[in-house]
Amino acid sequence: MQDRYDALSVEREAQEFWESRGSFRVPEDPARPKFYCLSMFPYPSGKLHMGHVRNYTIGDVLTRHYRMRGMNVLQPMGWDAFGLPAENAAMANKVPPAKWTWDNIAYMKSQLKSLGFALDWSRELATCRPDYYTWNQWFFTRLFRKGLAYKKTGIVNWDPVDQTVLANEQVIDGRGWRTGAQVEKREIPMYFLRITAYADELLAALDELPGWPEQVKLMQKNWIGRSDGVRVGFEYELEGERRVLWVFTTRADTLMGATFCAVAAEHPIAAWAAQRDPQIREFVEECRRGAVMEADLAQLEKKGMPTGLYCTHPLSGERIPVWVANYVLMGYGEGAVMAVPAHDERDYAFALKYGLPVKPVIRHPLGDDVPEPWRAQYAEYGTCINSGKYDGLDYQAAVDAIAADLKAKNLGEKQVQWRLRDWGISRQRYWGCPIPIVHCPGCGDVPVKDEDLPVLLPEDLVPDGTGNPLNKLPAFLDTRCPACGKPARRETDTMDTFVDSSWYFARFASPGSDAAMIDARARYWMPVDQYIGGIEHAILHLLYSRFFTRVMRDEGMLEVSEPFTNLLTQGMVLAETYYRDTPQGRREWVNPSEVEVGRDAKGKIVSAKRRTDGAQVVFAGVGTMSKSKNNGVDPQALIEKYGADTARFFIIFASPPTNTLEWSDEGVEGSYRFLKRLWAYGAKFDTAARGAGEPALERSVRFELHSVLRQANYDLTKHQFNTVASAAMKILNSLEKLPGRTPAAEQGLSILLRLLSPITPHICHHLWRALGFGEDVMQAAWPEPDPAALEQDEIEFVVQVNGKTRGTVRVPASADEETTASLAITAMSKFVGDRQVRKTIVVPRRLVNIVV
RNA sequence: GCGAAGGUGGCGGAAUUGGUAGACGCACUGGAUUUAGGUUCCAGCGCGGAAACGCUUGUGGGUUCGAGUCCCACCCUUCGCACCA
């Protein structure tokens, strides 16, 4: 063995070993327990970023660990290859998105290989390949025929200059990102998937996902948002005709306190009022143009205008005004609310502002009245007051009685309202999966026949930012109707890329299947046992995948309902940010790798300057790695300088997987130092003479070794990998106390290499072979602690007096509680003095507390 | 505004789930090796104190023999959002 740790050659050699043996290709093997370990596949944006490296390192640690525990572990990789950035790059470089995408894939694949991940590349897929997206299209036609896909209008952001639809992220402060033009809202026909048909099931099944973080389940629950309430009708007259304004409320018990109704700006009543009154028209226009983001809207001042229309309270018969208000949303419920100012904070603020009546109808903890300012107690459930026949009823009784009375009048009933909306999948973009529909003047919208799939996406177009280039391509547009055969026009919208990623996990289990979307092999592998990815996908991607899995189940393609048994949401990768203000008054962000910090004698940062020119820079805290703050760290540079094992070790060691990870160059150096020490220990071990060792030292090292191993194995079950890395360091520290190649050293190094191999597979692979432990550490059994090594003759107890720790005492392992207590009292005589011992508490193997 | 997560040394983080707070590492300090820098090795390192000892897990209360961990109130930070009636 050479003395110097040459990470790159060690890693190249290990990777060649795995490659030549096909070590990571996994067949379906019913004889062994399967484990499907999946990390979210990357978008091929150009090169790997640190978040990818973290994600795949976590997945690889799990994969290699379970492999060594004898499981048949599948870890595949592919490419989420359709999407907007490819179109942007295409415009910038005048290259078709396909070429840009494939170049990126080739480069990123080489990066993944250099990191040594145990990936089964024989299953690689890319969603932009026809053999993948043909099944998107096939599945869509199934949904279309079942009525689970349908067409209706949806609202989009429209850029009037470029004449194109913009994604939310392309709208900056209400303006198009390329043109700077004021963005308009536009209604256009789109295809929707009826995810709401599964709302009930998607909600209920969350309770049967013990392997998901509570946080994510709660977010999904709130997103699906089941509300049990009452639909209430307020009658009104318009142009001599009797009509009903419907509202939905979860607080029907407060109906007697409703003093006005409010409708959204897009509501038909608002449109009617806008026609009559220019001021209302102005207000409605303002609402339509205004903020799109909920957080902004929430901060908006509550504004409204009376429509001039009055409606009738369904129970009291009172005449109450209808307002149009900016805090009512068209997209939820009926687009209209009944306002109960006394018991709803927003209604309260609105009523005070416009002098509308406030009528308390619920007894709350602060009394019967609702004086200013607003208090949270006003909204609590309580007994009805000022409510006529409903006085004295509690929440549930009042809701029941009021719902019954409304029903009798045909002006309402109990209703379940979902927050979840159907999923609009039409995108007016080129680089995506074409929606397989043909528009026929005679037959309407007709799905493409199975035998004519896929509808191929032309790959040589370069978009110019003014809409979908497919619209200008007769060869694509002109076709014949699948039903009647007459000339017809092809749909040019493509699918939301979330469609691609809603079933890829099942396709990995059926590589190359060209007769079916997924085949019988998927039944062996599904569900995914462990899914790993960023918290930013906690809602949409995971919910869509759960929806697709259910539809696939109902189509007889899968037997499972849930795609992901266990979910690990990794934290983000952060780095320090530094800036300096330029003479021109601009803020210039300086990459942390260019910054040198000065510290005081205690290690506190007191100054920072740029290495190149010595300019003073300001430390602006840590933040997510981003282009705008120029604080990204390129994984490639790291791999080239230190090797993949150092990068992997640092990522695992620096914080537990679900926490944020703070990047630190010094921390990387520390990880590199540890691997160099491990290598040096291996080299010394290689040449050391075998010897028996000193018995007491051997015994104490073996005790340390096996206690650390026991803890590490426990930590692995919790996925707390950072302390497993610590355990490896502790083991090396213990081994370095031994004089040479003693039995404890042999055993310790064998444990260390196996324990560490999922984290730093290359160096462990090399040392395992070079030091004669075996041919392939991955084939070795996972280490388990030896109970004999954990036995002790004496146990050290912590001794407290009145709960204050005062020292320790060694007690024979065989001693009973009484003996232990008296030994402790003797040892602590200095602290006990002549005071009376009232009580002793003995915690077995741990602690004695003497109460005096 | 609503929803979620979280506050432990100079820093990242540990704490066997109510039992020695600060494992492991980084940074820092001193020393050895080196022509020097780097590397490597040894020692120290929560705060105060010469020491005995005292104080210490965002703040203030509480439960307990014992609280970072459980309960109550408050303060702060981060993340998500489609004002969800």
Side-chain angles (χ1 to χ4, degrees):
Chain A
M1 243 186 89
Q2 71 175 48
D3 285 345
R4 210 181 123 264
Y5 171 46
D6 178 358
L8 297 188
S9 80
V10 166
E11 291 175 5
R12 200 176 314 115
E13 182 200 298
Q15 285 163 16
E16 276 163 15
F17 178 93
W18 297 325
E19 182 88 42
S20 70
R21 304 212 167 188
S23 296
F24 308 130
R25 287 180 81 126
V26 282
E28 291 71 41
D29 178 1
R32 278 194 297 161
K34 68 96 181 178
F35 192 90
Y36 184 178
C37 185
L38 181 67
S39 293
M40 289 179 185
F41 65 165
Y43 177 78
S45 54
K47 53 188 184 181
L48 292 182
H49 57 67
M50 214 46 92
H52 290 130
V53 180
R54 186 178 197 196
N55 196 159
Y56 305 141
T57 300
I58 293 166
D60 205 46
V61 169
L62 284 158
T63 295
R64 288 174 178 272
H65 173 223
Y66 287 124
R67 275 183 73 120
M68 289 175 72
R69 287 197 178 271
M71 301 180 103
N72 190 30
V73 186
L74 168 60
Q75 186 180 223
M77 185 52 71
W79 309 96
D80 187 14
F82 275 137
L84 202 50
E87 293 194 20
N88 297 335
M91 281 186 261
N93 310 322
K94 309 265 183 271
V95 187
K99 165 144 177 47
W100 181 82
T101 301
W102 286 112
D103 287 351
N104 290 347
I105 287 175
Y107 181 69
M108 290 168 77
K109 186 172 177 178
S110 75
Q111 288 190 297
L112 288 172
K113 290 207 164 182
S114 75
L115 281 157
F117 297 134
L119 294 164
D120 182 351
W121 284 105
S122 71
R123 295 163 186 268
E124 182 181 6
L125 60 79
T127 57
C128 65
R129 280 179 56 135
D131 62 6
Y132 185 83
Y133 69 69
T134 186
W135 298 109
N136 273 0
Q137 296 175 342
W138 177 85
F139 199 59
F140 177 85
T141 62
R142 290 294 162 291
L143 296 185
F144 191 78
R145 294 200 179 98
K146 275 185 120 175
L148 285 173
Y150 66 98
K151 189 163 150 182
K152 69 168 182 183
T153 60
I155 297 176
V156 294
N157 304 304
W158 179 258
D159 185 321
V161 173
D162 266 352
Q163 293 284 299
T164 191
V165 175
L166 299 179
N168 279 339
E169 71 164 17
Q170 296 173 311
V171 181
I172 294 149
D173 297 329
R175 295 178 175 276
W177 66 332
R178 277 159 46 84
T179 62
Q182 181 91 47
V183 170
E184 298 165 8
K185 288 180 191 167
R186 230 185 218 212
E187 287 201 27
I188 60 167
M190 307 199 328
Y191 289 95
F192 284 79
L193 301 187
R194 208 179 292 280
I195 189 172
T196 52
Y198 286 83
D200 234 334
E201 202 190 327
L202 288 167
L203 180 67
L206 288 172
D207 293 334
E208 285 137 41
L209 284 173
W212 280 39
E214 287 304 320
Q215 179 196 3
V216 173
K217 286 192 279 188
L218 200 55
M219 283 198 261
Q220 290 225 343
K221 194 177 166 186
N222 291 338
W223 190 265
I224 296 168
R226 180 190 163 112
S227 292
D228 289 274
V230 177
R231 186 173 185 245
V232 186
F234 291 76
E235 291 180 283
Y236 64 100
E237 236 185 68
L238 193 63
E239 291 146 6
E241 213 178 297
R242 178 198 161 270
R243 303 187 187 191
V244 180
L245 169 64
W246 290 104
V247 307
F248 174 78
T249 179
T250 53
R251 290 301 303 271
D253 59 318
T254 65
L255 177 54
M256 297 310 284
T259 58
F260 64 99
C261 285
V263 299
E266 295 88 351
H267 194 278
I269 289 182
W272 168 84
Q275 273 177 9
R276 299 175 54 238
D277 182 339
Q279 272 186 292
I280 295 183
R281 188 180 319 140
E282 175 64 23
F283 177 68
V284 165
E285 277 303 308
E286 187 192 317
C287 292
R288 288 194 152 194
R289 256 183 275 120
V292 253
M293 309 255 278
E294 183 187 328
D296 299 339
L297 284 164
Q299 254 78 263
L300 274 185
E301 195 193 347
K302 316 246 168 305
K303 276 201 220 167
M305 291 187 80
T307 59
L309 195 72
Y310 285 79
C311 61
T312 310
H313 191 289
L315 298 178
S316 71
E318 274 176 277
R319 222 167 86 91
I320 66 175
V322 179
W323 284 58
V324 51
N326 65 354
Y327 69 94
V328 181
L329 290 182
M330 197 57 210
Y332 183 75
E334 306 283 348
V337 298
M338 67 175 204
V340 185
H343 304 293
D344 180 280
E345 187 173 0
R346 285 164 310 178
D347 298 345
Y348 189 84
F350 195 86
L352 290 184
K353 177 167 181 181
Y354 294 107
L356 290 157
V358 179
K359 181 184 169 195
V361 291
I362 300 289
R363 175 162 299 143
H364 56 82
L366 303 178
D368 290 359
D369 243 350
V370 292
E372 286 185 69
W374 169 263
R375 307 286 291 274
Q377 284 87 349
Y378 299 170
E380 285 180 21
Y381 290 168
T383 309
C384 291
I385 53 172
N386 304 327
S387 300
K389 65 183 273 205
Y390 308 108
D391 280 354
L393 297 182
D394 66 11
Y395 169 78
Q396 197 54 55
V399 170
D400 290 346
I402 287 171
D405 289 348
L406 289 170
K407 185 145 180 116
K409 295 187 172 187
N410 224 2
L411 283 175
E413 62 196 327
K414 285 196 181 173
Q415 194 185 38
V416 175
Q417 186 70 48
W418 301 91
R419 186 178 172 280
L420 183 68
R421 304 201 289 249
D422 278 338
W423 172 16
I425 59 153
S426 293
R427 297 290 181 270
Q428 296 69 41
R429 340 203 146 270
Y430 157 57
W431 189 238
C433 167
I435 294 176
I437 290 282
V438 172
H439 302 290
C440 170
C443 311
D445 296 352
V446 184
V448 174
K449 288 184 191 161
D450 287 0
E451 58 266 34
D452 294 330
L453 293 178
V455 175
L456 279 175
L457 182 73
E459 293 202 357
D460 49 358
L461 305 182
V462 179
D464 61 5
T466 64
N468 187 343
L470 293 176
N471 278 320
K472 300 162 199 159
L473 195 68
F476 183 82
L477 284 169
D478 299 338
T479 184
R480 291 192 170 271
C481 171
C484 68
K486 291 186 186 147
R489 187 176 183 280
R490 202 181 280 290
E491 170 68 49
T492 57
D493 281 358
T494 53
M495 294 184 196
D496 179 4
T497 56
F498 273 123
V499 175
D500 309 330
S501 56
S502 293
W503 66 281
Y504 78 108
F505 44 86
R507 182 71 183 181
F508 275 138
S510 308
S513 165
D514 54 7
M517 183 163 164
I518 56 174
D519 61 29
R521 289 171 293 172
R523 297 197 175 185
Y524 172 79
W525 290 112
M526 287 296 291
V528 173
D529 295 279
Q530 181 69 59
Y531 198 34
I532 306 134
I535 186 79
E536 68 272 19
H537 293 296
I539 297 178
L540 292 180
H541 164 60
L542 293 174
L543 194 61
Y544 294 152
S545 298
R546 296 180 62 220
F547 164 54
F548 259 50
T549 300
R550 283 176 165 72
V551 180
M552 289 192 278
R553 175 201 64 194
D554 293 346
E555 289 285 316
M557 296 155 64
L558 282 176
E559 283 160 338
V560 299
S561 299
E562 287 293 338
F564 314 121
T565 307
N566 295 290
L567 175 68
L568 192 159
T569 50
Q570 61 161 348
M572 289 187 293
V573 183
L574 313 179
E576 291 167 347
T577 56
Y578 296 93
Y579 68 85
R580 67 178 199 109
D581 290 313
T582 62
Q584 293 78 35
R586 281 206 10 256
R587 182 160 286 189
E588 183 189 1
W589 292 93
V590 179
N591 193 281
S593 65
E594 297 164 30
V595 173
E596 197 171 284
V597 295
R599 294 172 191 272
D600 66 13
K602 290 192 170 169
K604 223 177 198 164
I605 297 178
V606 289
S607 69
K609 64 179 184 200
R610 182 155 61 186
R611 244 190 298 268
T612 47
D613 58 4
Q616 288 289 319
V617 294
V618 182
F619 173 60
V622 289
T624 53
M625 286 189 180
S626 71
K627 269 197 187 129
S628 61
K629 295 258 175 95
N630 185 21
N631 65 337
V633 178
D634 183 7
Q636 194 57 37
L638 196 68
I639 297 166
E640 282 162 17
K641 185 166 176 195
Y642 299 103
D645 279 341
T646 294
R648 295 172 58 125
F649 188 88
F650 171 73
I651 282 171
I652 291 299
F653 177 62
S655 69
T658 53
N659 276 27
T660 54
L661 168 74
E662 207 173 299
W663 195 262
S664 145
D665 288 334
E666 293 86 356
V668 174
E669 286 283 352
S671 300
Y672 186 49
R673 201 173 301 148
F674 167 67
L675 294 183
K676 281 193 291 190
R677 257 177 65 210
L678 173 63
W679 183 273
Y681 181 80
K684 207 175 77 188
F685 181 93
D686 192 28
T687 54
R690 284 194 167 81
E694 197 264 305
L697 183 61
E698 285 284 294
R699 199 163 51 240
S700 81
V701 167
R702 274 168 53 86
F703 176 78
E704 280 172 40
L705 214 60
H706 287 268
S707 356
V708 169
L709 175 60
R710 185 177 54 182
Q711 182 65 39
N713 278 344
Y714 173 73
D715 291 347
L716 279 167
T717 65
K718 295 193 297 178
H719 297 163
Q720 187 174 290
F721 301 134
N722 56 326
T723 49
V724 177
S726 298
M729 290 174 142
K730 286 181 193 172
I731 290 177
L732 184 60
N733 290 345
S734 294
L735 293 182
E736 283 175 338
K737 290 186 215 158
L738 293 170
R741 196 162 175 168
T742 70
E746 294 267 1
Q747 195 180 60
L749 188 54
S750 160
I751 288 172
L752 174 57
L753 293 175
R754 283 178 287 161
L755 183 69
L756 196 55
S757 68
I759 301 171
T760 57
H762 307 90
I763 189 173
C764 294
H765 170 87
H766 185 97
L767 293 176
W768 187 259
R769 287 167 66 83
L771 302 177
F773 287 106
E775 195 194 23
D776 184 359
V777 66
M778 269 201 310
Q779 307 287 332
W782 189 257
E784 294 292 348
D786 175 5
L790 291 169
E791 265 170 35
Q792 290 173 286
D793 307 336
E794 277 191 330
I795 294 161
E796 192 175 61
F797 279 75
V798 171
V799 187
Q800 301 181 329
V801 179
N802 284 349
K804 261 195 163 53
T805 301
R806 293 298 185 182
T808 58
V809 63
R810 296 191 71 86
V811 176
S814 56
D816 59 13
E817 283 196 12
E818 220 171 304
T819 320
T820 307
S822 68
L823 281 169
I825 291 167
T826 313
M828 292 302 127
S829 54
K830 177 178 151 202
F831 296 99
V832 176
D834 50 9
R835 287 177 293 180
Q836 179 74 35
V837 174
R838 291 225 322 263
K839 185 169 155 190
T840 53
I841 291 131
V842 178
V843 181
R845 306 185 67 85
R846 216 169 261 289
L847 171 142
V848 182
N849 189 8
I850 302 162
V851 186
V852 298

